[in-house]
Amino acid sequence: MKINHDIPLESLVSEGATPGSKSPYGERKYSRFFDACAGWIIVLVSFLLPLLVLFTPAVGDEVAKRALVSIWVVIAFLCWLLARLEDGVFCIRRSYILGAGLLVGLSALLATLFSPGIRESLIGIGTEGGTFASLLISLLLLYLVSVYAQSKKYLSYLYVSLAAAGVILFLVELLHVGAGLSFGSLLGTPTDNLLGKWNDFGLFFGLFGVLSLAGLELFPTSKRGKIVLWAMLVLSSIALLFVNFDLA
């Protein structure tokens, strides 16, 4: 592929480069704006996704969540791409996880191309899981999180957004099971929750606990940050203990 030298591009393979860092060609005008848009989209999706509930019976929560993730991940990726075109630097992370994800994506693409129903395997109807399009969205999200999590600011925002979503989920379920509140027609049986299935509730708080442990062990944080991480760990432990009770 021929690159137009009027718009210089440089492939940067580095572990230390972060979005918004100064370009070797000088600081550009809009790259910080596009990086901020992409970073905040990821933060907002991490907060809103666990809390998304649709009241329309014809559309399930899973369909709505996949559609929301797909739309906002594509927008965030386009913002990241515009920022890289503006500052002339493409950051490609050295990571075994990203490398393994790339291999999974390539193997899925080959399986899709040699499958009897290529269109169904490639995109399906656009919202179901198990297609190559849904896997591609997941890989794009994995890469974007790996890029923006290099920034301490966005990493702390991700933790705060997940913590806020976890607290809301826990309080709503506690009021639903303990006080019998159904919040209108939103929650019916004792195992109903804002995430969807009861197993999803347990998986979310399992991830909640793992992230809090990772933050306590790996990240240098202030005293206030450690208090928040310990609170997240305690809350996730209570929620996981709660999940093991038979509420049916």
Side-chain angles (χ1 to χ4, degrees), residues 128-144:
E128 70 268 39
T131 62
F132 177 74
S134 64
L135 178 62
L136 181 60
I137 292 295
S138 301
L139 292 176
L140 288 178
L141 181 59
L142 174 66
Y143 178 73
L144 290 174

Side-chain angles (χ1 to χ4, degrees), residues 11 15 27 32 41 46 49 62 64 77 87 103 126 149 155 166 198 204 211 216 239:
S11 178
E15 296 179 356
E27 188 174 355
R32 290 183 180 274
I41 286 173
S46 67
L49 186 60
E62 295 297 324
F77 179 74
D87 62 21
L103 292 177
L155 183 60
W198 192 236
F204 176 82
L211 289 176
L216 287 169

Side-chain angles (χ1 to χ4, degrees), residues 171-181 242:
L171 291 178
V172 168
E173 192 63 22
L174 185 63
L175 292 173
H176 172 55
V177 175
L181 298 179
F242 186 60

